[in-house]
Amino acid sequence: MNQRAEVTSFSAVMAQVDGWDSDNCPVRDVISQIAGKWSTLLLHALSDRPYRFGELRRLVPDISQRMLTQTLRDLQRDGYIARTVYPTKPPSVEYSMTPLGHSLFAPLSKVLQWAQDNHEQVKAARLAFDGSDLAR
Amino acid sequence: MNQRAEVTSFSAVMAQVDGWDSDNCPVRDVISQIAGKWSTLLLHALSDRPYRFGELRRLVPDISQRMLTQTLRDLQRDGYIARTVYPTKPPSVEYSMTPLGHSLFAPLSKVLQWAQDNHEQVKAARLAFDGSDLAR
DNA sequence: CCGGATCCCACACGATACTG
DNA sequence: CAGTATCGTGTGGGATCCGG
């Protein structure tokens, strides 16, 4: 896709990783979904066991029902979670993680773990940066 | 932070993973930065070798110079990349990945790899979802 | 060559009220 | 209980012009 075929080692890797012409980048197509504010949180919850709507709502108190519904819908749309309706009275809906979801969450959880482990370092880096030259 | 102390297996994991009261979630504090549209792309580039500003601009043709500057600045602020100015004529600036950046990119690259490998499955899931019941 | 400053828009997200 | 509908806002990101 590079008209002048920049044969750096990077562009080779890039072509391999991205598909890559402009906007229909496969990686971003997938990442942009799970990069939402609540997606990783819900994936993390459902990686443990299935949950009902109200349970998730209680587990994540500061999510609005709008975003809970929407995020669950998007995750279901991408095939990461499954939605099962039990016609009880009143009706209950259970969300569970699919094999695809688990296969995604395996590497994803490593990143979340990294974020947790290195949060202090990142905060320190920000302080150092903001307090120094380019601070302004 | 759960007033009623929901002792599900999830909440235990959650407390461990998140810190977790509401908005100053460590995980999201870190993730929201690297979830930007261009962050992973630039991290990926710089994981290979250092690059100059103009090189990155050519490697990622569809990024605006505004977002290139801003994303690089943010990545530097979080300590993932280092900025080195060579007072040549005209001046050149080199960006390189720090050890912290490499330690982040190790797990992150696994997720990118997953996204690449499973893009087709995700697209298929979307088609199936859009074409079926909830399609509306 | 490497940016900063400004204008602008789309969209993710939140708050609230209403339904089956 | 498990959502849908509507409205309002903050901000991530693009386009363009200017500066060292």
Side-chain angles (χ1 to χ4, degrees):
Chain A
M1 306 310 181
N2 285 336
Q3 52 285 57
R4 299 190 311 123
E6 299 227 27
V7 192
T8 65
S9 53
F10 166 68
S11 67
V13 176
M14 214 55 195
Q16 169 197 349
V17 160
D18 268 359
W20 178 249
D21 47 10
S22 66
D23 254 338
N24 56 2
C25 163
V27 173
R28 205 154 46 210
D29 189 29
V30 172
I31 298 297
S32 63
Q33 248 313 310
I34 66 180
K37 187 174 180 180
W38 305 105
S39 302
T40 59
L41 213 44
L42 294 177
L43 285 176
H44 188 210
L46 294 171
S47 74
D48 178 35
R49 67 166 177 87
Y51 280 94
R52 300 209 343 250
F53 189 88
E55 289 180 306
L56 290 172
R57 191 152 160 59
R58 281 188 292 279
L59 277 177
V60 191
D62 51 348
I63 193 177
S64 59
Q65 65 281 54
R66 169 173 152 69
M67 287 317 294
L68 181 55
T69 300
Q70 181 176 309
T71 305
L72 287 172
R73 227 183 108 93
D74 292 342
L75 292 176
Q76 182 195 359
R77 190 176 107 98
D78 280 17
Y80 303 137
I81 66 180
R83 193 182 107 116
T84 313
V85 181
Y86 295 101
T88 59
K89 178 181 75 72
S92 74
V93 181
E94 187 179 85
Y95 293 90
S96 60
M97 182 164 275
T98 64
L100 186 68
H102 275 108
S103 83
L104 162 65
F105 192 70
L108 182 59
S109 64
K110 298 292 178 40
V111 177
L112 303 182
Q113 186 68 42
W114 188 96
Q116 174 195 357
D117 294 342
N118 297 89
H119 184 220
E120 292 305 320
Q121 278 204 49
V122 171
K123 283 200 304 184
R126 284 178 190 168
L127 275 176
F129 184 86
D130 294 344
S132 81
D133 45 356
L134 294 180
R136 165 61 67 84
Chain B
M1 307 314 175
N2 286 335
Q3 52 283 60
R4 299 190 310 120
E6 299 228 26
V7 193
T8 65
S9 54
F10 167 69
S11 68
V13 176
M14 216 53 196
Q16 170 196 347
V17 160
D18 267 358
W20 179 249
D21 47 10
S22 65
D23 253 339
N24 56 3
C25 163
V27 172
R28 203 154 46 209
D29 188 30
V30 172
I31 298 297
S32 63
Q33 247 314 307
I34 66 180
K37 187 172 179 181
W38 305 106
S39 301
T40 58
L41 213 45
L42 294 176
L43 284 176
H44 188 214
L46 294 170
S47 74
D48 178 35
R49 67 165 177 87
Y51 279 94
R52 300 212 340 253
F53 187 88
E55 290 180 305
L56 291 172
R57 191 153 161 58
R58 281 187 294 279
L59 277 177
V60 190
D62 50 349
I63 192 177
S64 60
Q65 65 282 54
R66 168 175 153 70
M67 288 316 295
L68 181 54
T69 301
Q70 180 177 307
T71 305
L72 288 171
R73 229 183 105 93
D74 292 342
L75 291 176
Q76 181 197 359
R77 189 175 108 97
D78 280 17
Y80 302 137
I81 64 179
R83 193 182 108 117
T84 313
V85 181
Y86 295 100
T88 59
K89 182 179 72 70
S92 75
V93 181
E94 188 179 86
Y95 294 90
S96 60
M97 182 164 275
T98 65
L100 185 68
H102 275 108
S103 84
L104 161 65
F105 192 70
L108 181 58
S109 65
K110 297 292 179 41
V111 177
L112 303 183
Q113 186 69 40
W114 187 96
Q116 174 196 358
D117 295 342
N118 298 88
H119 184 220
E120 293 305 320
Q121 279 206 50
V122 172
K123 283 201 303 184
R126 286 179 190 168
L127 275 176
F129 183 87
D130 294 344
S132 82
D133 46 355
L134 294 180
R136 166 70 61 89

